[in-house]
Short mmCIF file of all heavy atoms in Angstrom, two decimals:
data_model
loop_
_atom_site.label_atom_id
_atom_site.label_comp_id
_atom_site.label_asym_id
_atom_site.label_seq_id
_atom_site.Cartn_x
_atom_site.Cartn_y
_atom_site.Cartn_z
N ALA A 510 100.45 175.40 109.06
CA ALA A 510 99.72 175.92 110.23
C ALA A 510 99.27 177.36 109.99
O ALA A 510 98.13 177.73 110.30
CB ALA A 510 100.60 175.84 111.47
N ALA A 511 100.18 178.16 109.40
CA ALA A 511 99.83 179.56 109.13
C ALA A 511 98.69 179.62 108.10
O ALA A 511 97.80 180.48 108.18
CB ALA A 511 101.05 180.31 108.61
N THR A 512 98.71 178.69 107.15
CA THR A 512 97.64 178.66 106.13
C THR A 512 96.30 178.31 106.77
O THR A 512 95.27 178.92 106.47
CB THR A 512 97.98 177.66 105.02
OG1 THR A 512 99.24 177.99 104.48
CG2 THR A 512 96.93 177.66 103.92
N ARG A 513 96.32 177.33 107.68
CA ARG A 513 95.07 176.98 108.36
C ARG A 513 94.54 178.18 109.15
O ARG A 513 93.34 178.43 109.18
CB ARG A 513 95.28 175.77 109.29
CG ARG A 513 95.35 174.44 108.55
CD ARG A 513 95.26 173.27 109.50
NE ARG A 513 96.42 173.12 110.34
CZ ARG A 513 97.54 172.47 110.00
NH1 ARG A 513 97.62 171.88 108.83
NH2 ARG A 513 98.55 172.38 110.83
N GLN A 514 95.44 178.90 109.78
CA GLN A 514 95.01 180.07 110.54
C GLN A 514 94.41 181.12 109.60
O GLN A 514 93.37 181.72 109.90
CB GLN A 514 96.21 180.66 111.31
CG GLN A 514 95.85 181.79 112.25
CD GLN A 514 94.82 181.37 113.30
OE1 GLN A 514 94.98 180.33 113.95
NE2 GLN A 514 93.74 182.15 113.43
N ALA A 515 95.06 181.32 108.44
CA ALA A 515 94.54 182.29 107.46
C ALA A 515 93.16 181.87 106.98
O ALA A 515 92.25 182.71 106.82
CB ALA A 515 95.51 182.41 106.28
N MET A 516 92.97 180.57 106.76
CA MET A 516 91.66 180.08 106.33
C MET A 516 90.62 180.35 107.42
O MET A 516 89.49 180.77 107.14
CB MET A 516 91.72 178.58 106.02
CG MET A 516 92.44 178.25 104.72
SD MET A 516 92.17 176.54 104.22
CE MET A 516 93.64 175.79 104.79
N ALA A 517 91.01 180.07 108.68
CA ALA A 517 90.07 180.29 109.79
C ALA A 517 89.71 181.76 109.90
O ALA A 517 88.55 182.12 110.08
CB ALA A 517 90.70 179.79 111.09
N ASP A 518 90.74 182.63 109.75
CA ASP A 518 90.49 184.07 109.83
C ASP A 518 89.54 184.52 108.73
O ASP A 518 88.80 185.49 108.88
CB ASP A 518 91.81 184.86 109.71
CG ASP A 518 92.70 184.62 110.92
OD1 ASP A 518 92.19 184.10 111.94
OD2 ASP A 518 93.91 184.92 110.84
N ALA A 519 89.57 183.81 107.59
CA ALA A 519 88.70 184.19 106.47
C ALA A 519 87.30 183.58 106.60
O ALA A 519 86.47 183.76 105.71
CB ALA A 519 89.34 183.75 105.15
N GLY A 520 87.07 182.83 107.67
CA GLY A 520 85.73 182.28 107.87
C GLY A 520 85.66 180.77 107.89
O GLY A 520 84.65 180.19 108.27
N LEU A 521 86.73 180.09 107.44
CA LEU A 521 86.72 178.62 107.46
C LEU A 521 87.21 178.16 108.84
O LEU A 521 88.30 177.60 108.99
CB LEU A 521 87.64 178.08 106.37
CG LEU A 521 87.08 178.08 104.94
CD1 LEU A 521 88.19 177.82 103.94
CD2 LEU A 521 86.02 177.00 104.79
N THR A 522 86.38 178.39 109.84
CA THR A 522 86.83 178.16 111.23
C THR A 522 87.13 176.69 111.51
O THR A 522 87.90 176.37 112.41
CB THR A 522 85.78 178.67 112.22
OG1 THR A 522 84.52 178.11 111.85
CG2 THR A 522 85.69 180.19 112.21
N ALA A 523 86.52 175.79 110.73
CA ALA A 523 86.79 174.35 110.94
C ALA A 523 88.28 174.05 110.78
O ALA A 523 88.79 173.11 111.38
CB ALA A 523 85.98 173.52 109.95
N MET A 524 88.95 174.84 109.95
CA MET A 524 90.37 174.58 109.71
C MET A 524 91.21 174.91 110.95
O MET A 524 92.36 174.53 111.05
CB MET A 524 90.89 175.39 108.52
CG MET A 524 90.22 175.04 107.21
SD MET A 524 90.24 173.28 106.80
CE MET A 524 91.98 172.95 106.73
N ARG A 525 90.62 175.62 111.89
CA ARG A 525 91.32 175.87 113.16
C ARG A 525 90.73 174.98 114.26
O ARG A 525 91.46 174.41 115.06
CB ARG A 525 91.18 177.33 113.56
CG ARG A 525 91.87 177.68 114.88
CD ARG A 525 91.50 179.07 115.35
NE ARG A 525 90.06 179.21 115.46
CZ ARG A 525 89.37 180.30 115.09
NH1 ARG A 525 89.99 181.34 114.60
NH2 ARG A 525 88.06 180.34 115.21
N ASP A 526 89.40 174.80 114.25
CA ASP A 526 88.74 174.17 115.40
C ASP A 526 88.57 172.67 115.26
O ASP A 526 88.48 171.96 116.27
CB ASP A 526 87.35 174.80 115.62
CG ASP A 526 87.45 176.31 115.84
OD1 ASP A 526 88.54 176.76 116.25
OD2 ASP A 526 86.46 177.01 115.59
N ASP A 527 88.46 172.16 114.04
CA ASP A 527 88.06 170.76 113.89
C ASP A 527 89.17 169.86 113.34
O ASP A 527 88.91 168.70 113.02
CB ASP A 527 86.85 170.66 112.93
CG ASP A 527 85.65 171.41 113.49
OD1 ASP A 527 85.65 171.67 114.70
OD2 ASP A 527 84.74 171.75 112.70
N VAL A 528 90.36 170.37 113.18
CA VAL A 528 91.43 169.53 112.60
C VAL A 528 92.05 168.67 113.69
O VAL A 528 92.41 169.16 114.75
CB VAL A 528 92.52 170.41 111.93
CG1 VAL A 528 93.64 169.53 111.40
CG2 VAL A 528 91.91 171.24 110.80
N HIS A 529 92.12 167.37 113.41
CA HIS A 529 92.78 166.44 114.34
C HIS A 529 94.26 166.37 113.97
O HIS A 529 94.60 166.06 112.83
CB HIS A 529 92.17 165.05 114.24
CG HIS A 529 90.72 165.01 114.62
ND1 HIS A 529 90.28 164.63 115.86
CD2 HIS A 529 89.61 165.34 113.92
CE1 HIS A 529 88.97 164.72 115.92
NE2 HIS A 529 88.53 165.15 114.74
N HIS A 530 95.09 166.66 114.93
CA HIS A 530 96.54 166.60 114.68
C HIS A 530 97.08 165.26 115.17
O HIS A 530 96.50 164.66 116.08
CB HIS A 530 97.24 167.76 115.37
CG HIS A 530 96.74 169.10 114.89
ND1 HIS A 530 97.06 169.59 113.65
CD2 HIS A 530 95.90 170.01 115.45
CE1 HIS A 530 96.46 170.76 113.48
NE2 HIS A 530 95.74 171.03 114.54
N PRO A 531 98.18 164.78 114.58
CA PRO A 531 98.69 163.47 114.98
C PRO A 531 99.06 163.41 116.45
O PRO A 531 99.72 164.33 116.95
CB PRO A 531 99.94 163.26 114.11
CG PRO A 531 100.02 164.41 113.20
CD PRO A 531 99.02 165.43 113.59
N ILE A 532 98.60 162.35 117.11
CA ILE A 532 99.03 162.11 118.50
C ILE A 532 99.88 160.85 118.45
O ILE A 532 99.44 159.81 118.00
CB ILE A 532 97.83 161.89 119.44
CG1 ILE A 532 96.96 163.15 119.45
CG2 ILE A 532 98.30 161.54 120.84
CD1 ILE A 532 95.64 162.96 120.12
N VAL A 533 101.10 160.99 118.87
CA VAL A 533 102.02 159.86 118.80
C VAL A 533 102.50 159.56 120.21
O VAL A 533 102.90 160.46 120.94
CB VAL A 533 103.21 160.20 117.89
CG1 VAL A 533 104.17 159.04 117.80
CG2 VAL A 533 102.72 160.58 116.51
N THR A 534 102.42 158.29 120.60
CA THR A 534 102.85 157.96 121.96
C THR A 534 104.38 157.94 122.04
O THR A 534 105.06 157.81 121.03
CB THR A 534 102.34 156.57 122.39
OG1 THR A 534 102.99 155.60 121.57
CG2 THR A 534 100.84 156.47 122.25
N GLN A 535 104.87 158.07 123.25
CA GLN A 535 106.31 158.09 123.46
C GLN A 535 106.94 156.81 122.92
O GLN A 535 108.01 156.82 122.32
CB GLN A 535 106.60 158.25 124.95
CG GLN A 535 107.99 158.78 125.25
CD GLN A 535 108.30 160.07 124.48
OE1 GLN A 535 107.46 160.93 124.35
NE2 GLN A 535 109.50 160.17 123.96
N ASP A 536 106.24 155.67 123.12
CA ASP A 536 106.78 154.38 122.66
C ASP A 536 107.03 154.39 121.18
O ASP A 536 108.02 153.87 120.69
CB ASP A 536 105.76 153.26 122.95
CG ASP A 536 105.91 152.77 124.36
OD1 ASP A 536 106.80 153.29 125.05
OD2 ASP A 536 105.11 151.90 124.76
N GLU A 537 106.07 155.01 120.45
CA GLU A 537 106.18 154.99 118.99
C GLU A 537 107.34 155.84 118.50
O GLU A 537 107.84 155.64 117.42
CB GLU A 537 104.87 155.47 118.37
CG GLU A 537 103.75 154.46 118.52
CD GLU A 537 102.40 155.04 118.16
OE1 GLU A 537 102.13 156.21 118.48
OE2 GLU A 537 101.60 154.31 117.57
N LEU A 538 107.73 156.82 119.30
CA LEU A 538 108.82 157.70 118.90
C LEU A 538 110.06 157.48 119.75
O LEU A 538 110.88 158.36 119.89
CB LEU A 538 108.38 159.16 119.03
CG LEU A 538 107.42 159.66 117.96
CD1 LEU A 538 107.14 161.13 118.18
CD2 LEU A 538 107.97 159.45 116.57
N GLU A 539 110.17 156.29 120.32
CA GLU A 539 111.28 156.01 121.23
C GLU A 539 112.61 156.35 120.59
O GLU A 539 112.91 155.93 119.47
CB GLU A 539 111.25 154.52 121.59
CG GLU A 539 112.01 154.22 122.84
CD GLU A 539 111.82 152.77 123.23
OE1 GLU A 539 110.67 152.29 123.20
OE2 GLU A 539 112.83 152.14 123.54
N SER A 540 113.38 157.16 121.27
CA SER A 540 114.68 157.56 120.73
C SER A 540 115.76 156.63 121.24
O SER A 540 115.65 156.06 122.32
CB SER A 540 114.98 158.98 121.17
OG SER A 540 116.33 159.28 120.94
N ASP A 541 116.81 156.45 120.44
CA ASP A 541 117.91 155.61 120.91
C ASP A 541 118.99 156.46 121.58
O ASP A 541 120.07 156.00 121.89
CB ASP A 541 118.49 154.79 119.76
CG ASP A 541 119.02 155.66 118.65
OD1 ASP A 541 118.84 156.89 118.72
OD2 ASP A 541 119.62 155.11 117.71
N MET A 542 118.67 157.76 121.79
CA MET A 542 119.67 158.63 122.43
C MET A 542 119.30 158.85 123.89
O MET A 542 118.15 159.13 124.21
CB MET A 542 119.71 159.98 121.71
CG MET A 542 120.36 159.90 120.35
SD MET A 542 120.72 161.53 119.72
CE MET A 542 119.10 162.19 119.43
N ASP A 543 120.28 158.74 124.76
CA ASP A 543 120.03 159.02 126.18
C ASP A 543 119.90 160.51 126.38
O ASP A 543 120.57 161.30 125.71
CB ASP A 543 121.19 158.51 127.02
CG ASP A 543 121.22 157.00 127.04
OD1 ASP A 543 120.13 156.41 126.88
OD2 ASP A 543 122.31 156.42 127.19
N LEU A 544 119.02 160.90 127.30
CA LEU A 544 118.91 162.31 127.65
C LEU A 544 120.08 162.64 128.58
O LEU A 544 120.23 162.02 129.63
CB LEU A 544 117.58 162.56 128.35
CG LEU A 544 117.21 164.00 128.61
CD1 LEU A 544 116.97 164.72 127.29
CD2 LEU A 544 115.95 164.06 129.46
N VAL A 545 120.92 163.58 128.18
CA VAL A 545 122.11 163.88 128.97
C VAL A 545 121.84 165.10 129.82
O VAL A 545 121.38 166.14 129.34
CB VAL A 545 123.32 164.14 128.05
CG1 VAL A 545 124.56 164.49 128.88
CG2 VAL A 545 123.58 162.93 127.19
N GLN A 546 122.09 164.98 131.10
CA GLN A 546 121.93 166.11 132.01
C GLN A 546 123.23 166.89 132.00
O GLN A 546 124.28 166.37 132.35
CB GLN A 546 121.61 165.58 133.42
CG GLN A 546 121.13 166.63 134.38
CD GLN A 546 119.64 166.94 134.14
OE1 GLN A 546 118.99 166.31 133.33
NE2 GLN A 546 119.13 167.93 134.84
N LEU A 547 123.17 168.14 131.54
CA LEU A 547 124.39 168.94 131.48
C LEU A 547 124.68 169.56 132.84
O LEU A 547 123.78 169.75 133.65
CB LEU A 547 124.22 170.04 130.43
CG LEU A 547 123.97 169.55 129.01
CD1 LEU A 547 123.61 170.72 128.11
CD2 LEU A 547 125.19 168.82 128.46
N SER A 548 125.94 169.89 133.09
CA SER A 548 126.25 170.53 134.37
C SER A 548 127.19 171.70 134.17
O SER A 548 127.99 171.72 133.23
CB SER A 548 126.87 169.51 135.32
OG SER A 548 128.10 169.08 134.80
N VAL A 549 127.03 172.71 135.00
CA VAL A 549 127.90 173.88 134.97
C VAL A 549 128.57 173.99 136.32
O VAL A 549 127.90 174.05 137.35
CB VAL A 549 127.09 175.17 134.69
CG1 VAL A 549 128.02 176.38 134.67
CG2 VAL A 549 126.33 175.06 133.39
N GLY A 550 129.90 174.02 136.33
CA GLY A 550 130.65 174.17 137.59
C GLY A 550 130.25 173.12 138.61
O GLY A 550 130.13 173.41 139.79
N GLY A 551 130.02 171.90 138.11
CA GLY A 551 129.71 170.82 139.03
C GLY A 551 128.24 170.79 139.43
O GLY A 551 127.77 169.86 140.04
N GLN A 552 127.46 171.86 139.06
CA GLN A 552 126.04 171.87 139.41
C GLN A 552 125.21 171.45 138.21
O GLN A 552 125.47 171.88 137.09
CB GLN A 552 125.62 173.27 139.82
CG GLN A 552 126.14 173.64 141.19
CD GLN A 552 125.46 174.88 141.69
OE1 GLN A 552 125.04 175.71 140.90
NE2 GLN A 552 125.35 175.01 143.00
N GLN A 553 124.20 170.64 138.46
CA GLN A 553 123.36 170.19 137.35
C GLN A 553 122.44 171.31 136.90
O GLN A 553 122.00 172.12 137.69
CB GLN A 553 122.55 168.99 137.78
CG GLN A 553 123.45 167.81 138.11
CD GLN A 553 122.80 166.50 137.73
OE1 GLN A 553 121.64 166.30 138.01
NE2 GLN A 553 123.54 165.63 137.11
N THR A 554 122.22 171.35 135.59
CA THR A 554 121.32 172.36 135.05
C THR A 554 120.35 171.69 134.09
O THR A 554 120.66 170.67 133.50
CB THR A 554 122.11 173.46 134.32
OG1 THR A 554 121.18 174.35 133.73
CG2 THR A 554 123.00 172.91 133.23
N SER A 555 119.18 172.28 133.96
CA SER A 555 118.21 171.64 133.09
C SER A 555 118.15 172.31 131.73
O SER A 555 117.31 171.99 130.93
CB SER A 555 116.82 171.68 133.74
OG SER A 555 116.48 173.02 133.98
N GLY A 556 119.00 173.26 131.44
CA GLY A 556 118.94 173.89 130.13
C GLY A 556 120.22 174.64 129.86
O GLY A 556 121.17 174.60 130.63
N GLY A 557 120.28 175.38 128.74
CA GLY A 557 121.49 176.13 128.39
C GLY A 557 122.49 175.22 127.73
O GLY A 557 122.37 174.00 127.75
N CYS A 558 123.49 175.84 127.13
CA CYS A 558 124.47 175.03 126.43
C CYS A 558 125.45 174.40 127.38
O CYS A 558 126.14 173.46 127.05
CB CYS A 558 125.21 175.86 125.39
SG CYS A 558 126.33 177.03 126.17
N GLY A 559 125.52 174.92 128.59
CA GLY A 559 126.37 174.29 129.57
C GLY A 559 127.81 174.75 129.52
O GLY A 559 128.61 174.40 130.37
N SER A 560 128.17 175.55 128.55
CA SER A 560 129.56 175.97 128.46
C SER A 560 129.89 177.04 129.49
O SER A 560 131.00 177.20 129.91
CB SER A 560 129.86 176.52 127.05
OG SER A 560 129.23 177.77 126.90
#
Side-chain angles (χ1 to χ4, degrees):
T512 304
R513 283 192 291 274
Q514 186 58 49
M516 286 193 261
D518 293 345
L521 281 167
T522 51
M524 297 307 299
R525 179 189 56 220
D526 302 337
D527 299 341
V528 177
H529 298 262
H530 300 287
I532 298 169
V533 180
T534 66
Q535 201 53 40
D536 276 358
E537 289 168 321
L538 285 183
E539 200 174 314
S540 166
D541 60 354
M542 288 193 292
D543 290 332
L544 189 66
V545 179
Q546 193 79 4
L547 299 172
S548 64
V549 180
Q552 286 193 332
Q553 296 214 315
T554 175
S555 58
C558 72
S560 72

